Amino acid sequence: MNLDERLKAIRLLVLDIDGTLTDGGMYYSAEGDTLKRFFVQDGMGLTLLQRAGIEIAFMTSELSPIVSARAKKLKVKHVILGCQAKRQALEELAEKLALSLEQIAYMGDDVNDEAPMLIAGFRACPSNAVPLILAIADYVCEKAGGQGAVREVAEMILKAQNHSNTLPVVW
């Protein structure tokens, strides 16, 4: 299948968090609180995909309440925290949602994303991903992680599936 056909088949976008949906930085307060930075346009891209009927999943090796909070804000139903076996988790999620692997897009940026990317129907990465991931990606974004890369992929999927990348105007 060519790239456009692969994008048309997508029914689920699975995202690594740190370095993909965030800029990969970890911010610590003097009290030891950890903070993550999310890019609002990436969030809108996920909202547009959901409105087009595309499921979203977050998958991270971190046990982060911040990720849970972001998922809740964006109404992301599938959140896999503390995941050390991402390929297995992806296969289990596909089975749970009755999807083939060809219907799943995976976006990651580092070596722990290699295994799930190798089985996904479409694989993307931010421009600042590690060389291993850059080499296996079907699409390398122009944007970096946490800087609009997720929005870039969302708009590619929406365009391939003939969905608008805007919300209806409500007055």
Side-chain angles (χ1 to χ4, degrees), residues 5-7 20-21 26 47 50 55 61 71 75 82 119 136 160 162 164:
E5 291 169 335
R6 292 165 83 179
L7 290 169
T20 302
L21 197 57
M26 296 218 178
T47 297
Q50 290 170 316
E55 295 273 354
S61 58
K75 298 178 177 63
I119 63 169
I136 65 169
N162 296 315
S164 172

Side-chain angles (χ1 to χ4, degrees), residues 9-26:
I10 299 304
R11 298 293 170 261
L12 170 67
L13 172 60
V14 180
L15 298 168
D16 169 59
I17 303 301
D18 296 321
T20 302
L21 197 57
T22 75
D23 61 10
M26 296 218 178

Side-chain angles (χ1 to χ4, degrees), residues 9-76:
I10 299 304
R11 298 293 170 261
L12 170 67
L13 172 60
V14 180
L15 298 168
D16 169 59
I17 303 301
D18 296 321
T20 302
L21 197 57
T22 75
D23 61 10
M26 296 218 178
Y27 307 90
Y28 291 93
S29 72
E31 292 77 31
D33 296 323
T34 305
L35 302 173
K36 296 180 187 286
R37 180 187 170 280
F38 295 92
F39 191 60
V40 71
Q41 290 178 8
D42 287 339
M44 180 57 73
L46 298 180
T47 297
L48 294 169
L49 284 172
Q50 290 170 316
R51 290 188 181 190
I54 307 296
E55 295 273 354
I56 307 297
F58 290 171
M59 184 181 293
T60 180
S61 58
E62 300 283 323
L63 285 170
S64 173
I66 297 169
V67 174
S68 295
R70 186 66 176 147
K72 183 177 180 183
K73 168 85 173 156
L74 295 174
K75 298 178 177 63
V76 173

Side-chain angles (χ1 to χ4, degrees), residues 59-63 80-90 106 111-113 115-116:
M59 184 181 293
T60 180
S61 58
E62 300 283 323
L63 285 170
I80 304 164
L81 303 176
C83 185
Q84 302 305 314
K86 288 186 172 185
R87 178 184 174 130
Q88 180 181 345
L90 185 63
Y106 188 97
V111 296
N112 61 338
D113 297 309

